[in-house]
Amino acid sequence: MNTTLIGIIILLLIFVPVGYLILNTTGQDKRAKKTVSQLSQTKGIQVKNIEVIGNCVIAVDEASKKLVYTSKTNPSADFKVVDMAEVRDCRAKSIKQSEKTLDWVGLELLEKTGRVEIPFYIENDEEGYTKDPFVCLQDAKRWEGTLRPLLKAS
């Protein structure tokens, strides 16, 4: 009887914090997506498929060729809109520390005025909303494929 009770207490000590983290993260993702959707609508942008990758929240309106992105930690203050018609090139970018370690993964957009980097993964990001850097690299390549057709034909 006592061992069963101790076993149950140990299981609760393990699973309650893990469950809390999972619920907290999904709730934060939903709030960030809702904020991005609302901010986009106020600017006349109709986004579909808002995606959270690490600390980055990203979405695109293919009709108006507008890309919106922000951080999950501060979606209102970090909200940015990029007119893809003004972008000359878009590519997935990664900075390697070694053959098996990536320091930075994201998208790089080359505009007339400079370049914009949208980080999906940062090695020493203390916020810790990261997933595997190689999964983020695949996400970046997929987004590159989504955004390239929206670029101005040069």
Side-chain angles (χ1 to χ4, degrees), residues 32-52:
K33 286 179 177 183
K34 186 177 179 185
T35 303
V36 166
S37 180
Q38 289 170 340
L39 288 169
S40 298
Q41 284 178 350
T42 60
K43 298 199 182 293
I45 302 168
Q46 300 298 315
V47 291
K48 295 185 209 93
N49 303 338
I50 301 169
E51 190 173 356
V52 178

Side-chain angles (χ1 to χ4, degrees), residues 37-88:
S37 180
Q38 289 170 340
L39 288 169
S40 298
Q41 284 178 350
T42 60
K43 298 199 182 293
I45 302 168
Q46 300 298 315
V47 291
K48 295 185 209 93
N49 303 338
I50 301 169
E51 190 173 356
V52 178
I53 305 169
N55 189 35
C56 178
V57 184
I58 187 168
V60 68
D61 177 359
E62 292 182 13
S64 70
K65 296 187 178 185
K66 300 268 195 267
L67 171 75
V68 297
Y69 69 97
T70 187
S71 69
K72 185 165 73 171
T73 47
N74 200 349
S76 297
D78 297 338
F79 185 77
K80 292 183 181 62
V81 177
V82 177
D83 185 355
M84 293 306 291
E86 299 296 313
V87 175
R88 288 183 306 184

Side-chain angles (χ1 to χ4, degrees), residues 5-153:
L5 187 62
I6 292 171
I8 290 172
I9 291 171
I10 290 172
L11 282 173
L12 286 174
L13 287 173
I14 293 169
F15 288 113
V16 168
V18 170
Y20 171 76
L21 283 173
I22 290 169
L23 289 173
N24 190 33
T25 304
T26 53
Q28 199 168 24
D29 285 5
K30 283 181 183 172
R31 281 192 299 279
K33 286 179 177 183
K34 186 177 179 185
T35 303
V36 166
S37 180
Q38 289 170 340
L39 288 169
S40 298
Q41 284 178 350
T42 60
K43 298 199 182 293
I45 302 168
Q46 300 298 315
V47 291
K48 295 185 209 93
N49 303 338
I50 301 169
E51 190 173 356
V52 178
I53 305 169
N55 189 35
C56 178
V57 184
I58 187 168
V60 68
D61 177 359
E62 292 182 13
S64 70
K65 296 187 178 185
K66 300 268 195 267
L67 171 75
V68 297
Y69 69 97
T70 187
S71 69
K72 185 165 73 171
T73 47
N74 200 349
S76 297
D78 297 338
F79 185 77
K80 292 183 181 62
V81 177
V82 177
D83 185 355
M84 293 306 291
E86 299 296 313
V87 175
R88 288 183 306 184
D89 194 20
C90 166
R91 65 187 182 110
K93 180 181 174 185
S94 63
I95 300 171
K96 286 186 178 179
Q97 188 174 49
S98 70
E99 206 47 48
K100 294 186 173 151
T101 315
L102 295 174
D103 262 356
W104 191 95
V105 176
L107 286 172
E108 181 180 59
L109 308 175
L110 297 174
E111 298 179 309
K112 294 175 186 119
T113 55
R115 67 178 185 199
V116 176
E117 290 185 335
I118 304 172
F120 289 173
Y121 173 87
I122 303 171
E123 175 64 39
N124 14 346
D125 183 12
E126 295 302 318
E127 296 298 326
Y129 296 113
T130 56
K131 57 185 186 181
D132 184 79
F134 292 96
V135 173
C136 289
L137 183 59
Q138 292 306 312
D139 289 336
K141 287 177 179 172
R142 184 171 41 78
W143 270 96
E144 177 186 339
T146 301
L147 297 175
R148 271 195 184 272
L150 305 178
L151 300 179
K152 184 178 79 175

